[in-house]
Amino acid sequence: MGHEDHAWKGVGQMEGKERSSDRLSDMLSELREKEVLEMVRNALEEKVNPLSLVEELREGMAEVGRRFERKDYFRSELIMSAEIFKEAIVLIEPHLAAGQGENKGDIVIGTVKGDIHDIGKNIVATLLRCSGYRVHDLGVDVPPEAFVTKLLETNARLLGLSGLLTLAFDSMKETVCKVEQAGLRDRVKVIIGGGPVNEKVVEYTGADAFGKDAAQAVELARLYLEG
Amino acid sequence: MSPMTPMERIETAIRLGRPDRVPVVPIIDFFAARYGGITQHDMFFDLAKADLALEKTLRDLGPIDGQNLTYAGLGRIMQVIFPTPPQLPGVGDVPPDGQFQFVERSVMGSEEYKRMAESNPLRLLMENITKYHAEFRGPLGMARAFRIIISDTLKMRGSIKRWLRKGVVSTVAYNITFTPMEYISLFLRSLNDFVLDIFRHPEELKAAARALMKPMIMQGMLMIRLSGVRAVFLGGNRTSATFLNPSQFEEFALPEWLEMSEHFARRGITVFLHLDSDWTPFLTYFKDFPRGKCVLCLDGTSDIFQAKEVLGDHMCIMGDVPASLLKLGEPEEVDEYCHRLITEIGSDGGFILSSGCTVPPDAKPENVKAMLQSVHKG
């Protein structure tokens, strides 16, 4: 397909089904990295509203999430789509006026004390960012106090705790306890995730819910911050 | 009829026969250290202490037929053979009773695949090691590295023999190796970068993996020779369905899983496919693996009951009491789950009861006891 055919047309402006794959959102959901970036560059040159580009990209990510839920996509596609999204945002960001770009809510996230596994946590953080949340990722082996400090500093209403080892259950519990002691528990929802995490772990740690995968974590964020 | 020995019981299950009862073969070193009153650091670096801790654990909580992978005394070797040493308890900033974990990071760029593909495979493996371990560079460094590997494996070999005399089989000793894609994604590239490489540099990645096949097989064969145990542990996680889609698995991972399994099986070496994370969508692929010569070890994430349906007449199934159940469950729940495994998967043989991956250090002792004793119930 030629470069000219790819001029950005915006949501719902393409004619006919056969051309649907020319939509930016479709290109992203089909992981066509080069085409996404080329289209974004062209659109920016044509002074297209950068926010509408971000919206298209988010729509693409939402479709990736739906495919993941249907098990048409696996985690590799989540990782690749998030990477393309990030690259596109890097191109778009300089064109956004200061303060422009919606923040759907602040979220503090990290792998809890004693655990350094971060594959799942990183995917969740990236997908949350793609969905429009401001994510404060504290990294791995994060002590409970650091989560509390960040919650106070950002006024975030959602805390995401991740861990793969069983020792993480205790660190999660301790973190929830510290959040409570800081008087924040009423306004902060706590979601947890990681390989062995299940309903029983939610009960043990005192968290509010768990996400069995990254897509579910995004759903929970939507529920708690926008619901 | 006299009862089978633990070795006969395990061997019978591996060859898809029906032993006198289901054998129980957990990975128990981490837990035994905590229960036996020593630190995780001592378990990795002081074999005599680790053996005593295990002895106390088995005396109190019940006998086992064997141990699957053993970590006791493996600390120094782990520091040598892995290009990015895992986080080891008591090493660097890690507390002595901290937990062993792999560090998730890329130590090379994707542009290095080409060089890997063109290198002499053995030199490549040595380069991967010495690049990040200055102390093993040059002929003297190499000699130092080999001295550590040989002296520590001989000590562990002695321990394995002593345990066998006490009726505890070491199924795979410490004979660890990886398929090239698993090795790349665990030690050379972070999982995230590895996945991006699949999309962006598929041919370079495959060429590098092809070059790594020989060294990975050599690593397995060397450990087998040193331990004297004719079995190998192939660790899998990153090429599972938790990360890859079926077509990526077919293209990038399946051929090398198959090639390595066939290589070892042809030489009479039992292949323990230690598959962490979710492999359920990939189970049918394992029908092509050598029949009765591999053991499918699942960690509680894959559907082990489906594995029995798909592969029950093809390879021994091992697993999968989940770590979270051992830590948070009650003994009755553990007993109930083990009973279900024993009756639904083990009743016609070809099954070994085990922990899903390892028994965690903080498992409840009464839960471990319930697991070990479940095989003795009628």
Side-chain angles (χ1 to χ4, degrees):
Chain A
M1 275 187 284
H3 172 91
E4 295 75 16
D5 294 338
H6 281 257
W8 184 88
K9 300 214 173 167
V11 186
Q13 290 184 19
M14 303 303 300
E15 316 90 23
K17 265 190 169 173
E18 72 278 3
R19 301 196 61 184
S20 65
S21 64
D22 282 355
R23 284 175 50 167
L24 184 58
S25 56
D26 292 338
M27 286 178 179
L28 177 55
S29 63
E30 287 157 18
L31 311 178
R32 289 145 55 191
E33 182 180 19
K34 284 182 185 151
E35 292 172 53
V36 168
L37 300 181
E38 188 176 301
M39 182 174 260
V40 168
R41 277 193 202 99
N42 290 343
L44 291 170
E45 266 176 33
E46 289 169 25
K47 306 287 180 208
V48 166
N49 179 0
L51 275 182
S52 61
L53 290 176
V54 173
E55 209 36 60
E56 275 275 309
L57 291 167
R58 279 196 189 141
E59 172 48 36
M61 289 304 290
E63 174 59 20
V64 169
R66 286 191 286 273
R67 292 183 190 198
F68 182 75
E69 286 291 292
R70 289 200 303 266
K71 299 195 185 338
D72 293 337
Y73 272 1
F74 287 64
R75 212 182 280 182
S76 62
E77 284 96 349
L78 283 189
I79 291 173
M80 187 62 196
S81 62
E83 175 76 8
I84 302 171
F85 181 92
K86 274 196 280 187
E87 289 179 304
I89 292 294
V90 167
L91 297 177
I92 295 168
E93 246 166 7
H95 298 265
L96 291 171
Q100 207 181 0
E102 162 199 33
N103 170 21
K104 291 182 180 171
D106 286 73
I107 301 172
V108 174
I109 194 171
T111 301
V112 295
K113 191 176 73 178
D115 200 325
I116 59 167
H117 293 91
D118 64 358
I119 295 172
K121 185 266 296 170
N122 289 345
I123 297 174
V124 169
T126 306
L127 289 191
L128 288 171
R129 284 193 185 108
C130 296
S131 303
Y133 300 101
R134 187 182 294 141
V135 178
H136 308 273
D137 184 350
L138 303 185
V140 299
D141 194 11
V142 181
E145 298 76 18
F147 283 115
V148 171
T149 306
K150 196 48 124 181
L151 285 170
L152 286 167
E153 180 190 317
T154 59
N155 276 323
R157 290 191 296 119
L158 188 63
L159 173 62
L161 303 177
S162 175
L164 188 74
L165 303 170
T166 49
L167 64 80
F169 304 165
D170 295 310
S171 300
M172 287 172 178
K173 188 176 184 172
E174 199 186 333
T175 306
V176 173
C177 193
K178 289 270 191 261
V179 171
E180 237 166 55
Q181 284 167 7
L184 298 172
R185 193 65 180 93
D186 289 345
R187 69 168 173 85
V188 175
K189 292 284 183 189
V190 183
I191 59 174
I192 58 176
V197 169
N198 55 28
E199 200 49 60
K200 203 160 195 149
V201 183
V202 172
E203 202 181 303
Y204 179 77
T205 56
D208 292 294
F210 80 102
K212 72 172 169 52
D213 54 46
Q216 265 197 5
V218 175
E219 270 314 302
L220 286 171
R222 196 164 291 144
L223 176 75
Y224 287 136
L225 296 178
E226 300 171 53
Chain B
M1 209 169 66
S2 61
M4 286 178 160
T5 65
M7 183 68 94
E8 288 167 344
R9 199 169 284 132
I10 293 167
E11 276 291 318
T12 304
I14 291 172
R15 306 302 162 215
L16 300 173
R18 187 179 171 192
D20 56 351
R21 65 163 170 79
V22 165
V24 57
V25 183
I27 300 181
I28 202 166
D29 285 328
F30 297 134
F31 171 79
R34 177 84 47 95
Y35 184 79
I38 64 170
T39 64
Q40 298 292 311
H41 177 83
D42 282 345
M43 185 273 291
F44 271 108
F45 292 92
D46 189 334
L47 189 53
K49 280 188 184 173
D51 281 345
L52 284 175
L54 180 61
E55 209 162 296
K56 174 181 165 47
T57 306
L58 301 185
R59 197 171 51 234
D60 290 358
L61 306 181
I64 54 178
D65 292 287
Q67 288 195 78
N68 197 6
L69 186 66
T70 50
Y71 291 94
L74 196 59
R76 291 206 307 168
I77 293 179
M78 285 184 131
Q79 288 176 306
V80 174
I81 65 170
F82 295 146
T84 37
Q87 178 179 292
L88 280 168
V91 176
D93 297 335
V94 186
D97 207 28
Q99 206 160 328
F100 156 74
Q101 299 174 65
F102 286 109
V103 182
E104 187 64 36
R105 63 173 172 168
S106 289
V107 296
M108 59 167 243
S110 58
E111 70 284 351
E112 285 193 57
Y113 284 139
K114 192 168 180 295
R115 191 187 56 78
M116 281 174 67
E118 289 162 359
S119 297
N120 169 303
L122 186 58
R123 187 184 305 158
L124 174 68
L125 193 63
M126 298 321 294
E127 261 180 29
N128 278 341
I129 293 169
T130 53
K131 191 170 170 185
Y132 306 101
H133 296 279
E135 68 274 28
F136 301 136
R137 282 181 201 150
L140 278 177
M142 277 288 136
R144 195 177 301 132
F146 275 106
R147 199 167 55 236
I148 289 172
I149 292 175
I150 290 168
S151 76
D152 286 11
T153 46
L154 288 178
K155 275 187 219 160
M156 289 190 282
R157 187 177 176 142
S159 165
I160 288 170
K161 279 186 180 163
R162 285 192 297 279
W163 278 110
L164 189 57
R165 281 198 292 273
K166 293 179 204 167
V168 177
V169 176
S170 177
T171 52
V172 292
Y174 32 81
N175 305 341
I176 310 171
T177 191
F178 299 91
T179 64
M181 290 291 175
E182 288 284 346
Y183 184 87
I184 289 171
S185 57
L186 190 55
F187 299 115
L188 303 179
R189 300 283 282 160
S190 70
L191 185 273
N192 196 75
D193 288 342
F194 168 70
V195 165
L196 298 180
D197 294 339
I198 283 183
F199 286 99
R200 289 170 171 166
H201 312 288
E203 295 313 316
E204 295 92 323
L205 171 62
K206 279 192 272 186
R210 269 196 300 278
L212 263 176
M213 176 56 83
K214 202 171 169 186
M216 290 295 98
I217 288 177
M218 283 168 67
Q219 178 175 314
M221 293 305 291
L222 173 70
M223 299 306 248
I224 290 161
R225 202 150 295 157
L226 289 171
S227 71
V229 174
R230 294 199 60 78
V232 69
F233 175 101
L234 289 185
N237 177 1
R238 281 130 197 274
T239 61
S240 71
T242 296
F243 302 112
L244 303 191
N245 68 40
S247 63
Q248 289 166 337
F249 179 73
E250 276 181 36
E251 183 181 350
F252 292 87
L254 177 61
E256 51 181 38
W257 275 105
L258 196 53
E259 183 180 340
M260 284 185 92
S261 299
E262 284 174 343
H263 177 94
F264 290 116
R266 261 200 310 276
R267 286 157 181 77
I269 295 161
T270 303
V271 183
F272 284 73
L273 301 161
H274 181 90
L275 304 182
D276 288 341
S277 299
D278 186 14
W279 295 77
T280 317
F282 299 166
L283 288 173
T284 48
Y285 295 117
F286 291 92
K287 282 180 165 176
D288 295 332
F289 284 50
R291 186 177 180 276
K293 292 175 177 174
C294 301
V295 181
L296 190 80
C297 317
L298 303 176
D299 76 345
T301 314
S302 299
D303 184 340
I304 197 168
F305 300 97
Q306 196 174 321
K308 170 70 177 176
E309 270 174 43
V310 177
L311 292 165
D313 60 353
H314 197 80
M315 61 174 67
C316 175
I317 292 166
M318 185 168 181
D320 73 343
V321 184
S324 55
L325 180 62
L326 289 169
K327 177 180 166 76
L328 297 183
E330 297 302 322
E332 302 74 42
E333 293 173 284
V334 174
D335 185 60
E336 193 182 323
Y337 186 67
C338 291
H339 180 72
R340 192 175 165 217
L341 290 173
I342 290 165
T343 49
E344 290 184 33
I345 303 182
S347 59
D348 57 349
F351 174 65
I352 298 172
L353 181 71
S354 184
S355 46
C357 198
T358 62
V359 178
D362 52 359
K364 288 181 191 163
E366 58 270 32
N367 286 348
V368 177
K369 189 172 185 175
M371 176 175 77
L372 302 189
Q373 294 189 344
S374 65
V375 294
H376 299 284
K377 295 188 173 175

